[in-house]
Amino acid sequence: GAVRLDGADVGTWPRSSVGQYIGYLPQDVELFSESVAANIARFQQAEDEAVIEAARLAGVHDMILRLPDGYETWVGDGGAILSGGYRQRIALARAVFGMPSLIVLDEPSSNLDAEGDAALADCMLKLKKACITTITISHRPATVAIVDKLLLLVDGRIEAFGPRAEVLARLNARAPIPIVAPSGARSGQ
């Protein structure tokens, strides 16, 4: 009956303090009509170094520096001046800002090109190394290849759960079409 984060019942926390412990990258990214820095910092007063650290972790720092006013570039309504990939990577920086205890990434690679996919993979590996719990919702084999455990839902019910390699092996054993294994090799090769 309780949701716990770092052992503490989140239900007892003041609502205003929960956000700093949870990072979220939604499937449909929304940026606000503000600067890149304000969007990353979640509209909090933040040190420039903390904003840059989040951008570096998300692999978007160099891209931001190429914008007309760098971190002070105004993104417009919904991030209108930016491509979908830029918006997604800035939203990833927002999700990891402050190194929250729990990060939820919903289809984090849906708008990314190859460079963005590589930056996402690097970010996820760094989060894992920092022992930050990350829940990733994805259909892409490359994104799933980074996770430790897989939970497969079919029609809203748990179909499989466990270590990634075991779940993929079970799925490949019964799938008429091979599922891509973490190494990129197809089963049976």
Side-chain angles (χ1 to χ4, degrees), residues 90 124 127 135 146 187:
I90 289 169
M124 290 174 68
L127 293 172
I135 298 172
I146 299 166
S187 65

PDB file of all heavy atoms in Angstrom, residues 90 124 127 135 146 187:
ATOM      1  N   ILE A  90      16.738  17.860 -25.233  1.00  0.00           N
ATOM      2  CA  ILE A  90      16.646  18.880 -24.176  1.00  0.00           C
ATOM      3  C   ILE A  90      15.730  18.374 -23.062  1.00  0.00           C
ATOM      4  O   ILE A  90      16.011  18.552 -21.871  1.00  0.00           O
ATOM      5  CB  ILE A  90      16.182  20.226 -24.746  1.00  0.00           C
ATOM      6  CG1 ILE A  90      17.316  20.831 -25.595  1.00  0.00           C
ATOM      7  CG2 ILE A  90      15.762  21.192 -23.636  1.00  0.00           C
ATOM      8  CD1 ILE A  90      16.926  22.030 -26.426  1.00  0.00           C
ATOM      9  N   MET A 124      21.978   6.598 -20.577  1.00  0.00           N
ATOM     10  CA  MET A 124      21.390   5.496 -19.812  1.00  0.00           C
ATOM     11  C   MET A 124      22.472   4.683 -19.098  1.00  0.00           C
ATOM     12  O   MET A 124      22.289   4.269 -17.947  1.00  0.00           O
ATOM     13  CB  MET A 124      20.545   4.612 -20.730  1.00  0.00           C
ATOM     14  CG  MET A 124      19.270   5.295 -21.207  1.00  0.00           C
ATOM     15  SD  MET A 124      18.336   4.326 -22.426  1.00  0.00           S
ATOM     16  CE  MET A 124      17.787   2.950 -21.416  1.00  0.00           C
ATOM     17  N   LEU A 127      23.612   6.693 -16.096  1.00  0.00           N
ATOM     18  CA  LEU A 127      22.606   6.628 -15.030  1.00  0.00           C
ATOM     19  C   LEU A 127      22.707   5.294 -14.298  1.00  0.00           C
ATOM     20  O   LEU A 127      22.623   5.240 -13.062  1.00  0.00           O
ATOM     21  CB  LEU A 127      21.201   6.820 -15.594  1.00  0.00           C
ATOM     22  CG  LEU A 127      20.886   8.197 -16.175  1.00  0.00           C
ATOM     23  CD1 LEU A 127      19.536   8.186 -16.884  1.00  0.00           C
ATOM     24  CD2 LEU A 127      20.928   9.270 -15.097  1.00  0.00           C
ATOM     25  N   ILE A 135      13.388   3.660 -15.390  1.00  0.00           N
ATOM     26  CA  ILE A 135      12.356   2.847 -16.026  1.00  0.00           C
ATOM     27  C   ILE A 135      12.220   3.367 -17.452  1.00  0.00           C
ATOM     28  O   ILE A 135      11.969   4.551 -17.661  1.00  0.00           O
ATOM     29  CB  ILE A 135      11.018   2.955 -15.277  1.00  0.00           C
ATOM     30  CG1 ILE A 135      11.191   2.414 -13.851  1.00  0.00           C
ATOM     31  CG2 ILE A 135       9.917   2.216 -16.029  1.00  0.00           C
ATOM     32  CD1 ILE A 135      10.003   2.646 -12.958  1.00  0.00           C
ATOM     33  N   ILE A 146      20.000  -1.955 -23.480  1.00  0.00           N
ATOM     34  CA  ILE A 146      20.775  -1.322 -22.413  1.00  0.00           C
ATOM     35  C   ILE A 146      20.249  -1.688 -21.022  1.00  0.00           C
ATOM     36  O   ILE A 146      20.968  -1.633 -20.049  1.00  0.00           O
ATOM     37  CB  ILE A 146      20.765   0.210 -22.611  1.00  0.00           C
ATOM     38  CG1 ILE A 146      21.400   0.545 -23.950  1.00  0.00           C
ATOM     39  CG2 ILE A 146      21.471   0.933 -21.477  1.00  0.00           C
ATOM     40  CD1 ILE A 146      21.151   1.951 -24.414  1.00  0.00           C
ATOM     41  N   SER A 187      18.395 -14.359 -33.212  1.00  0.00           N
ATOM     42  CA  SER A 187      18.477 -15.701 -32.648  1.00  0.00           C
ATOM     43  C   SER A 187      18.693 -16.699 -33.777  1.00  0.00           C
ATOM     44  O   SER A 187      18.240 -16.515 -34.894  1.00  0.00           O
ATOM     45  CB  SER A 187      17.195 -16.031 -31.873  1.00  0.00           C
ATOM     46  OG  SER A 187      16.107 -16.078 -32.754  1.00  0.00           O
TER      47      SER A 187
END
